[in-house]
Amino acid sequence: MKSIIEYISGIYRGLRSLLIGMSVTGKYFFSPRAIVTQQYPENRHGHGKRSKKQLVMFDRFKGEVVMPHDANNQHKCTGCGICEINCPNGTIEIISVSKVGEDGKKKRAIEKHIYRLGMCSFCALCVKTCPSKALEFSQEFEHAVFDRTKLVKVLNKPGSSLMKGVE
Amino acid sequence: MSFSFDIYDFTSFTKWIDVSLTSYCTPFWAMIWEMLIIGVAILIFYAVVGLFLVYAERKVCAFIQNRVGPNRVGPYGFIQTVADLVKLLFKELVTIKKADKFLFNLAPFIVIIVNFMVIAAIPFAKGLHAVNFNIGIFYMMAVSSMGVIGILLAGWSSNNKFSLIGAMRSGAQIVSYELSVGLSMITMVILAGTMQLTNTYDPVTNQVLVHGIVDLQKDGWFIFTGHLPAIIAFVIFLIAGTAETNRGPFDFAEAESELTAGFHTEYSGIKFALFYLSEFMNMFIVASIAATIFWGGWMPFHLGHIFGDWVSGFNNVMDYIPPFVWYIGKTFVIIWIIMLFKWTFPRLRIDQLLTLEWKYLLPINLINIILMALVVLMGWHF
């Protein structure tokens, strides 16, 4: 008798758990809003025809190394060369010049911070080791170009200078 | 006889074809032409439904997994499967060394032919079926189980151990689950009292000679009139039917994680496409059998007269929807349920598969038949 009760209750429990599973998948089937797929080329420039979601890359995504400039066209790079030393691929090359500052002292400043995107392995050693936090990653990821010389980028903008208070 | 086309009753249309053909040629040649027309019609139907089912499967799977699914070729990716088929047509048919060439090439055709033979007996709408046997249900059961021969041949002739194991598993599975499918159909045959699928009429007096299963569900589908035993039979039929079509969660014949692709590992190009299409058409056939014997086939949703006189108005409204739409709608609802099975449940182990059949489905089924017989004897059905 006990085994018969176990048999029937086993069927009941089995059917119940199967129905719970089907209700979960059925709920997802009938809720098109739950779709998480980002339809890439359409959602690139805001709300596309097919996609309802705008393309948003997450913060920690390593697109390419950039040097942020503020409104006065000033950056934080002192030209110390730590990023160049740390780069495993020789991606970064810093061309620095000596400038005489306002106080009359000679000071090193960057003329060109060259970043070769084609050689970069996105290891983030340059960004992590920069003592003045002058470098960071942007979320830009569409790097394809027809000429590879375009992959050699100068990170400091022309005419930019060192931000005050950064040594 | 003038041309007549009625979307609610195809009898006059098919009769018009018959009469106009016999006026042009001898009855023998008219029959040949009719067979040819039906063959081509079923072939087109087969291809269209098969391609649509592949698309539907991918879309259902995608929605369940919060994806979009195919959406690049055509509107909503609708002709993606056509593109896939064209690709498969262009692919090389690899011939296997030391394979049994004749059986290797024969196997996909056996699977396809079996599908066609079952489709011939399905009543699609009123007056729209190829053959109307007096043993229609029995014929469907007998013929649909022959598909396993094609699978066994494919596995055997491929000269590949994975294929052979897949085919053997498929054989064991279909032989076990055929029992449950058959017994649950017999349960409904007890309720219907006939194996014929649609009415046959006396050609002169237009009187009903033999009642058919679909026409008997005029005052309510069998799943309602047969209540408890019919519902149990329906659930068992769905589970066993899914297993019989070798679909997930019962896809032991393919078992891509264990046997690469099971019996169709060595097939390529259009021969693989035939197996793939036949798998989906098997699902369609199981769903349409379920729709026919449980949900009334093309019969619109009618309420019985026990609810009062107002139901005749309701029934008339339901009659405005063409029977073909009812049939396709019901079939695709059941197909959706079967797809939901595949994308919800994890695969069973082979021992769990056999336990489910021999320790659960079969005993429940046997008791259910006795219950149904009791219900019919005592007149407890509606």
Side-chain angles (χ1 to χ4, degrees):
Chain A
M1 192 62 207
K2 202 184 166 195
S3 62
I4 292 173
I5 291 169
E6 264 173 26
Y7 179 82
I8 291 168
S9 66
I11 292 172
Y12 171 74
R13 271 184 279 117
L15 275 179
R16 190 166 165 271
S17 79
L18 290 181
L19 283 176
I20 288 171
M22 279 174 73
S23 74
V24 170
T25 48
K27 221 180 279 168
Y28 278 123
F29 179 82
F30 285 113
S31 55
R33 281 174 183 280
I35 289 174
V36 292
T37 309
Q38 296 208 2
Q39 300 192 52
Y40 163 57
E42 283 88 5
N43 69 358
R44 189 170 56 166
H45 303 296
H47 297 253
K49 191 180 155 197
R50 286 172 196 244
S51 63
K52 295 193 175 72
K53 291 191 185 89
Q54 192 172 353
L55 177 65
V56 180
M57 302 306 294
F58 38 96
D59 290 340
R60 67 175 191 279
F61 179 73
K62 298 181 206 168
E64 64 174 312
V65 176
V66 289
M67 187 183 287
H69 289 62
D70 65 4
N72 302 326
N73 202 16
Q74 287 180 324
H75 56 77
K76 291 186 200 163
C77 181
T78 57
C80 63
I82 290 176
C83 52
E84 189 179 354
I85 295 164
N86 274 304
C87 183
N89 308 331
T91 306
I92 294 172
E93 187 185 339
I94 294 171
I95 300 171
S96 55
V97 288
S98 293
K99 275 183 184 170
V100 181
E102 291 163 2
D103 51 351
K105 283 181 189 167
K106 267 193 176 178
K107 216 176 175 186
R108 196 159 61 161
I110 55 168
E111 188 187 329
K112 276 180 179 174
H113 188 290
I114 297 170
Y115 168 60
R116 295 186 179 86
L117 179 57
M119 292 162 71
C120 182
S121 66
F122 306 99
C123 63
L125 283 177
C126 50
V127 175
K128 275 176 192 159
T129 55
C130 182
S132 54
K133 302 211 173 1
L135 298 175
E136 63 179 36
F137 275 108
S138 76
Q139 267 89 44
E140 183 61 36
F141 62 93
E142 292 168 327
H143 297 313
V145 285
F146 284 102
D147 185 0
R148 67 177 174 183
T149 55
K150 286 179 184 163
L151 292 175
V152 180
K153 299 186 176 185
V154 178
L155 293 189
N156 54 324
K157 289 180 185 167
S160 61
S161 59
L162 183 62
M163 206 180 282
K164 276 209 176 106
V166 180
E167 291 299 324
Chain B
M1 191 176 170
S2 61
F3 174 75
S4 63
F5 183 79
D6 184 3
I7 195 132
Y8 298 101
D9 190 352
F10 285 89
T11 319
S12 55
F13 178 64
T14 48
K15 198 154 192 166
W16 171 75
I17 293 176
D18 183 46
V19 168
S20 45
L21 273 176
T22 38
S23 69
Y24 284 118
C25 43
T26 58
F28 174 76
W29 281 106
M31 195 178 72
I32 297 286
W33 275 110
E34 278 162 14
M35 282 176 169
L36 206 67
I37 291 169
I38 290 166
V40 170
I42 289 181
L43 200 67
I44 293 168
F45 180 79
Y46 189 93
V48 170
V49 170
L51 288 177
F52 177 74
L53 283 180
V54 176
Y55 169 78
E57 163 100 313
R58 291 176 64 178
K59 273 291 188 192
V60 168
C61 158
F63 286 149
I64 286 172
Q65 297 170 351
N66 284 355
R67 294 184 289 113
V68 183
N71 64 343
R72 297 286 140 172
V73 190
Y76 299 98
F78 210 74
I79 48 175
Q80 173 73 53
T81 45
V82 179
D84 289 346
L85 183 75
V86 172
K87 184 205 81 173
L88 282 173
L89 280 170
F90 280 114
K91 282 182 89 169
E92 185 192 358
L93 292 171
V94 181
T95 45
I96 314 297
K97 267 184 194 170
K98 291 186 182 172
D100 191 330
K101 295 259 163 30
F102 176 67
L103 294 183
F104 186 74
N105 292 326
L106 183 68
F109 290 101
I110 288 184
V111 176
I112 292 282
I113 287 167
V114 165
N115 279 349
F116 277 118
M117 285 166 79
V118 184
I119 288 175
I122 294 172
F124 292 106
K126 193 167 188 181
L128 196 68
H129 48 248
V131 280
N132 187 20
F133 291 119
N134 56 354
I135 49 160
I137 289 284
F138 181 66
Y139 167 80
M140 278 181 173
M141 264 159 63
V143 170
S144 65
S145 60
M146 266 164 50
V148 70
I149 293 174
I151 291 173
L152 280 173
L153 274 187
W156 170 253
S157 61
S158 294
N159 193 26
N160 177 330
K161 52 181 170 288
F162 295 122
S163 299
L164 187 60
I165 293 170
M168 288 301 161
R169 281 183 178 192
S170 169
Q173 183 180 332
I174 290 182
V175 166
S176 335
Y177 278 85
E178 192 67 37
L179 270 173
S180 284
V181 170
L183 287 175
S184 58
M185 278 158 96
I186 284 171
T187 316
M188 300 317 287
V189 169
I190 292 172
L191 180 62
T194 176
M195 284 197 187
Q196 187 163 324
L197 284 165
T198 44
N199 280 357
T200 43
Y201 296 97
D202 190 296
V204 184
T205 58
N206 219 15
Q207 292 275 314
V208 178
L209 286 180
V210 186
H211 283 286
I213 284 178
V214 177
D215 294 275
L216 281 170
Q217 304 183 52
K218 204 174 158 191
D219 294 330
W221 303 343
F222 279 161
I223 195 154
F224 301 123
T225 55
H227 52 91
L228 183 67
I231 290 169
I232 294 172
F234 178 66
V235 172
I236 288 172
F237 184 87
L238 268 191
I239 296 169
T242 314
E244 215 199 329
T245 53
N246 285 331
R247 275 181 64 81
F250 305 100
D251 54 345
F252 291 93
E254 276 184 52
E256 57 223 18
S257 48
E258 302 158 20
L259 303 173
T260 59
F263 62 94
H264 58 58
T265 307
E266 301 290 355
Y267 283 88
S268 63
I270 195 66
K271 283 189 226 164
F272 166 72
L274 290 181
F275 275 117
Y276 200 63
L277 270 187
S278 81
E279 192 179 299
F280 280 93
M281 286 312 284
N282 272 329
M283 180 174 64
F284 179 80
I285 286 164
V286 163
S288 53
I289 292 173
T292 305
I293 60 176
F294 293 101
W295 292 5
W298 47 261
M299 187 58 76
F301 181 74
H302 284 168
L303 290 171
H305 283 279
I306 50 162
F307 292 104
D309 288 336
W310 61 273
V311 295
S312 55
F314 175 80
N315 291 350
N316 282 339
V317 171
M318 285 295 161
D319 283 336
Y320 275 109
I321 303 171
F324 191 73
V325 176
W326 277 106
Y327 164 77
I328 286 288
K330 287 173 197 175
T331 307
F332 275 90
V333 167
I334 293 176
I335 284 175
W336 180 77
I337 295 173
I338 293 177
M339 284 180 178
L340 202 60
F341 283 164
K342 175 163 182 172
W343 298 109
T344 307
F345 305 138
R347 271 184 63 211
L348 281 76
R349 272 196 324 264
I350 189 82
D351 64 313
Q352 291 170 331
L353 176 90
L354 296 173
T355 306
L356 177 67
E357 164 62 20
W358 295 101
K359 282 171 82 175
Y360 290 94
L361 292 188
L362 191 65
I364 294 171
N365 226 330
L366 290 170
I367 292 167
N368 195 34
I369 285 182
I370 296 168
L371 184 66
M372 181 57 100
L374 194 71
V375 164
V376 172
L377 272 180
M378 306 301 281
W380 287 339
H381 59 88
F382 298 114

